[in-house]
């Protein structure tokens, strides 16, 4: 006899119950949204260490363990224990960053170590009646970890860097070093300091990666400093990695320039290796001003502190990731490039009103010479126009004279560069009487009355804003830059073409990209007001409503 | 509308033909990219300031009833609105002003698809895509089934649920009569920002592409409606993801008629050919039966005839026999009578 399906024996009622259960089971994913909600609402910690080192030695049998580092250190330190409770010392005295071992060993040994030490400690503490952790498998190996991480990367900005310089008594060698292959040890070379990341990339046998090196150096120094003789920094995870604690880090309002003998003003040009290939006049660059405007050297220089043209050659080199000098300077989307960073500035409230209507996908050809106003490349080598005031590290921050920059070049030759650069202002050669005070816009008047446009007031407020920023002054050095924010697509002059010379009826099939006059006025005026957060942005702020057109409508219905 | 027998047969034949070349017919549908030189409107939501001038103008040019709240009332943005009786278009607010960024508005109305789902779903052909661009609706033939409301992927048409007697579908006409007069649609004409651009659909795509090219920081790199639902005459460019301004992105680019072409292509086969086939089979069977019956009847008749003939022959033979016998008897009787008479005469003579 053939075997009956299992449900045959359960009767009709049973089958209905089964069906209902099945239906509920199928429908339950719809109600399962709550789980996702829980995930989003997980409490956050900045001290989470995922114990999954064994995955390098083979597939994991259980989910990785989420370890609360600060939770453990707080408890143990409060009970008088030290880091040695969990970390062994290396021969050179530093603490191993591994848990109770110096080397990883085999997979089984590693598993054995964690199980024995973690569960052992937890069990022991439980027996003593102390606060303790899990002793079962699932207690640590949770498929759905309890916390979400909010740890952020740590970096030195200028302010924090300077506070550390002062804390170590301006002894740069406290942190900075480089490897000397002849002496086979690390040495300090004054004036040659790089960012940590330049050498410390990934962990290798001979060199620690950024994370390992950072934890050794920072925590090691913080631990070694008792905080009494001089200030010290955090040793817990959250102290450096928690967003709130990062935000609470004291920031200096004025930070002296870093004493690395970097140039004050420099010519940005192709390197000597590219001699003969360069065509553009070089771009004089005020290094000092840009130092003040950025948080770190890395913003422009990546990890290394070399000159741009050492890696970015005219034709691209593997040292610079194949990125040509042109792209390195003009990439519109990069944080490292000149144009990328300046473009980001254009989005600021004071600038965006004019800049938002301009083509953001490329710079106009007229913009080239705003930066490339230096000597021709073939004359460049004669000038050697790099200016640096040699500064003594001990004098930094204390010597007010330091900021009084000499106009002497490094080779002692006087240059026109400094004068050229520092004397850039935003001139407006038009006399006040040449600038119409009010422009009345009434050509389209119908539902609304005329709009009185305070032309001169706007010109002078724009001029004021430009003069408040050295960068803006550099780039708005003539009337055309200033006036053409509104009077675009026509030559600059005291009497530019009227708006209606170009803008007329809307949707002209022959000029599909040119808005009609009404659209042009509203887009330009309201767009600027909106972007620069200038009142008014409503209709009646500019022109009065004459009548309600709805009143004229025949109410007879359809 | 009456259908003559000739028309009906013609339609049937066409349906049969289209079923036969179904694949080709579908390919032709995919290649349809709208009527050449048809008009459309490009809505640049980054320019919309939520002034509701378009709503006011729509109301005015379509001679619609006065709204409950005046068009200057901005409290309407507190909730999302859609078209209702007497309202062909609404502006909704999708994001409030935040962190110095202006609020986000979008005008909503019929998108005037190149191959409209509503027209596809309507079995009385109340909807028609005009070569000028607008999809027009004829309420005089509408039976109120509201399939069009269901068919529209954006659920854009409204319905006069408040009219118990003669409710009709509510939707934007793209001011078709005004376009024919060479005028702009009311909303487009009224928009102070030119957030609505009217023009040839091909030009609008060029305008949209140019704006996106010039301002990659301002726009999503997509023209909504260029391909959605097979393409629409109203298209949108936006700074926000389109899903965030109420324009669903899960519609796909297949024109609605193509979605049903396969199934509807089978209709002539099912509706047209099966009855013919079955009737044929029925007829053949019937004919077979008829022939069999006739053969049987013939056989019977033949048998009967044979028997009859036999019987007749027998009868005839009997009759002949009887006749002969009778004749013999008569002769005999006559002979006898003659003999008797002769005898009698002899006797008398004697």
């Amino acid at each position: 006899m053939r075997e009956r399906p299992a449900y045959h024996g359960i009767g009709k009622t049973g089958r209905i119950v089964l069906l209902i259960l099945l239906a509920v089971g199928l429908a339950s994913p719809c109600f399962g949204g709550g789980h996702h909600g829980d995930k989003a609402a997980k409490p956050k910690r900045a001290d989470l260490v995922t114990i999954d080192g064994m995955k390098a030695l083979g597939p994991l049998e259980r989910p990785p363990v989420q370890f609360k580092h600060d939770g453990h250190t707080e408890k143990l330190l409060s009970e008088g224990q030290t880091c040695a409770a969990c970390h062994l010392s290396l021969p050179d005295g530093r603490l191993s960053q591994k848990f109770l071992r110096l080397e990883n060993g085999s997979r089984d040994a590693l598993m054995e170590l964690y199980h024995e030490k973690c569960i052992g400690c937890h069990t022991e503490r439980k027996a003593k009646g102390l606060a303790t952790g899990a002793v079962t498998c699932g207690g640590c190996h949770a498929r759905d970890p309890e916390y979400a991480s909010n740890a952020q990367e740590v970096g030195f900005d200028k302010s924090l860097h300077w506070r550390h310089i002062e804390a170590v008594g301006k002894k740069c060698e406290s942190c900075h070093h480089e490897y000397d292959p002849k002496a086979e040890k690390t040495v300090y070379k004054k004036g040659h300091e790089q960012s940590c990341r330049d050498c410390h990339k990934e962990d290798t046998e001979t060199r620690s990666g950024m994370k390992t090196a950072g934890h050794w150096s920072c925590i090691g120094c913080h631990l070694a400093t008792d905080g009494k003789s001089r200030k010290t920094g955090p040793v817990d995870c959250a102290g450096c990695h928690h967003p709130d604690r990062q935000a609470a880090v004291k920031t200096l309002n004025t930070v002296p320039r870093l004493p690395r003998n970097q140039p004050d003003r420099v010519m940005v040009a192709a390197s000597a290796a590219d001699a003969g290939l360069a065509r553009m006049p070089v771009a004089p660059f005020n290094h000092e001003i840009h130092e003040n405007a950025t948080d770190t050297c890395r913003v422009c220089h990546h990890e290394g502190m070399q000159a741009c043209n050492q890696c970015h050659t005219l034709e691209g080199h593997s040292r610079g990731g194949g990125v040509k000098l042109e792209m390195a300077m003009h990439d519109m989307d990069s944080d490292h490039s000149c144009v990328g960073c300046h473009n980001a500035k254009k989005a600021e409230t004071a600038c965006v009103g004019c800049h938002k209507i301009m083509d953001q996908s490329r710079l106009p050809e007229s913009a080239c010479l705003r930066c490339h106003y230096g000597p021709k490349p073939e004359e460049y080598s004669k000038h050697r126009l790099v200016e640096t005031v040699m500064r003594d590290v001990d004098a930094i921050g204390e010597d007010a004279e330091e900021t009084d920059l000499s106009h002497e070049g490094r080779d002692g030759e006087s240059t026109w560069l400094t004068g050229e650069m520092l004397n850039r202002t935003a001139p407006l050669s038009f006399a006040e009487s040449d600038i119409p005070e009010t422009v009345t816009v009434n050509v389209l008047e119908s539902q609304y009355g005329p709009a009185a446009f305070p032309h001169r007031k706007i010109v002078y407020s724009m001029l004021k804003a430009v003069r408040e920023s050295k960068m803006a002054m550099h780039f708005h050095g003539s009337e055309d830059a200033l006036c053409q924010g509104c009077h675009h697509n026509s030559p600059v002059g005291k009497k530019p073409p009227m708006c209606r010379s170009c803008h007329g009826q809307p949707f002209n099939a022959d000029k599909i990209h040119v808005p009609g006059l009404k659209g042009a006025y509203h887009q330009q005026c309201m767009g600027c007001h909106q972007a620069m957060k200038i009142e008014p942005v409503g209709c009646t702020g500019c022109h009065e409503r004459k009548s309600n057109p709805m009143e004229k409508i025949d109410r007879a219905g359809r | 509308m009456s259908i003559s027998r000739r028309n009906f047969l013609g339609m049937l034949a066409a349906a049969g033909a289209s079923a036969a070349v179904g694949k080709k017919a579908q390919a032709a549908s995919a290649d349809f990219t709208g009527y050449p030189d048809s008009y459309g409107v490009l809505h640049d939501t980054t320019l919309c300031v939520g002034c509701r001038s378009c709503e006011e103008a729509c109301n005015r040019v379509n001679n619609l009833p006065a709204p409950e709240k005046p068009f200057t009332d901005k409290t309407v943005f507190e909730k999302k609105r859609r078209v209702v009786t007497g309202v062909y278009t609404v502006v909704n607010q999708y994001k409030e002003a935040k962190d110095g960024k202006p609020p986000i508005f979008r005008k909503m109305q019929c998108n005037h698809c190149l191959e409209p789902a509503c027209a596809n779903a309507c079995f009385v052909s109340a909807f028609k895509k005009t070569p000028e661009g607008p999809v027009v609706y004829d309420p005089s033939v509408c039976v109120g089934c509201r399939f069009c409301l269901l068919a529209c992927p954006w659920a854009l048409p409204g319905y006069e649920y408040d009219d118990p007697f003669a409710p009709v579908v509510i939707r934007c006409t793209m001011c078709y009569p005004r376009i024919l007069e060479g005028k702009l649609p009311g909303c487009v004409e009224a928009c102070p920002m030119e957030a609505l651009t009217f023009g040839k659909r091909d030009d609008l795509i060029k305008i949209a592409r140019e704006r996106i090219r010039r301002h990659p920081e301002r726009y999503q790199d997509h023209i909504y409606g260029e391909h959605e639902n097979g393409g629409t005459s109203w298209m949108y460019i936006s700074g926000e993801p389109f899903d965030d301004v109420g324009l669903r992105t899960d519609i796909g680019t297949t024109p609605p008629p193509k979605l049903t072409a396969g199934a509807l292509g089978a209709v002539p086969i099912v509706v047209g050919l099966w009855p013919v086939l079955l009737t044929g089979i029925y007829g053949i069977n019937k004919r077979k039966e008829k022939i069999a019956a006739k053969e049987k009847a013939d056989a019977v008749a033949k048998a009967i005839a044979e028997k009859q003939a036999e019987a007749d022959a027998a009868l005839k033979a009997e009759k002949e026999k009887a006749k002969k016998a009778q004749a013999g008897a008569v002769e005999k009787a006559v002979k006898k009578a003659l003999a008797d008479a002769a005898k009698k005469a002899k006797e008398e003579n004697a």
Side-chain angles (χ1 to χ4, degrees), chain A residues 24-85:
Chain A
V24 170
L26 285 175
S28 60
C30 307
F31 304 113
H35 294 297
H36 298 291
D38 290 344
K39 230 174 225 174
K42 265 187 188 178
K44 287 178 179 163
R45 294 181 70 108
D47 67 332
L48 300 172
V49 177
T50 304
I51 302 176
D52 60 355
M54 260 172 58
K55 75 180 174 192
L57 304 167
L60 299 178
E61 288 171 24
R62 282 182 171 272
V65 175
Q66 190 181 65
F67 177 79
K68 300 182 283 287
H69 196 278
D70 281 353
H72 284 78
T73 47
E74 273 166 35
K75 197 78 211 162
L76 293 174
L77 291 176
S78 73
E79 291 169 9
Q81 300 216 50
T82 63
C83 304

